[in-house]
Amino acid sequence: MIVIIDYGMGNLKSVFNAFKQVSPEADIKVTSNPADIKKAHHVVFPGQGAMPDCIRELDERNLRSSVLDAAKTKPFLGICIGLQMLFDKSEEGNVDGLGLLSGTIKRFNNENTADESGHKLKIPHMGWNEVSQTNNHPLWQNISNNDRFYFVHSYYLDSKDKNIVSAETSYAQKFCCAIAKENIFAVQFHPEKSSTAGLQLIKNFVQWSV
């Protein structure tokens, strides 16, 4: 069973439809039931909106311990804020994350967001951008290096632990857009909105065993 965690803040319909497209025979469930999360073979942790709201909604549904347990024991995919929430702290609302991994979520600096030609870049970072793979993780199988994925975000991960970085993207600066550690894989972009490459990543996750 593949469980997509529903804490009221994720792009749940698009994520569900993408998983169903690549794995139509799988038992895929969108749920906020801790018992379902515990029984799942694979767990997906999506997120949209502001970090303080996501943390609040997660705790109001008493799902923090279920997320932490799943992230320690099962193939686990974090998407967008589902990546950001795994870390220590976010500058968005100056809120603590789940603290599962070490790092801070920082806001892009409006004063320094220009491309190589000096053109001002907009915040949020929105649209398609190249993803440069930094390791040979199973979730990159059959995805070309520097393939393009879809982003919507104003905050990015800053972590001193470079061993967890699985891909980077440039938007005025180079930043980590995918992390991997043991059974956890998490991405800042939206694979469910990223056409062929995104669906391949989701397919790779469904087939991933740890």
Side-chain angles (χ1 to χ4, degrees), residues 87-99:
F87 289 85
D88 294 319
K89 196 172 188 65
S90 176
E91 290 183 350
E92 186 175 20
N94 194 32
V95 66
D96 290 337
L98 298 177

Side-chain angles (χ1 to χ4, degrees), residues 18-37:
F19 271 84
K20 207 64 182 174
Q21 183 173 342
V22 303
S23 188
E25 303 303 320
D27 180 10
I28 304 167
K29 184 175 290 189
V30 177
T31 183
S32 58
N33 186 335
D36 289 334
I37 299 170

Side-chain angles (χ1 to χ4, degrees), residues 5-95:
I5 298 176
D6 177 10
Y7 58 99
M9 298 298 294
N11 185 25
L12 301 175
K13 185 175 181 180
S14 293
V15 174
F16 174 84
N17 288 341
F19 271 84
K20 207 64 182 174
Q21 183 173 342
V22 303
S23 188
E25 303 303 320
D27 180 10
I28 304 167
K29 184 175 290 189
V30 177
T31 183
S32 58
N33 186 335
D36 289 334
I37 299 170
K38 187 173 183 178
K39 288 188 296 185
H41 295 103
H42 289 67
V43 172
V44 184
F45 188 41
Q48 276 190 184
M51 181 84 153
D53 296 336
C54 290
I55 291 290
R56 184 191 67 247
E57 293 296 324
L58 188 76
D59 285 338
E60 286 186 355
R61 289 166 173 76
N62 296 314
L63 288 172
R64 180 183 289 250
S65 62
S66 295
V67 170
L68 291 173
D69 287 347
K72 293 173 182 175
T73 59
K74 307 172 187 288
F76 185 95
L77 177 64
I79 298 174
C80 195
I81 290 183
L83 176 151
Q84 296 182 9
M85 292 172 71
L86 300 178
F87 289 85
D88 294 319
K89 196 172 188 65
S90 176
E91 290 183 350
E92 186 175 20
N94 194 32
V95 66

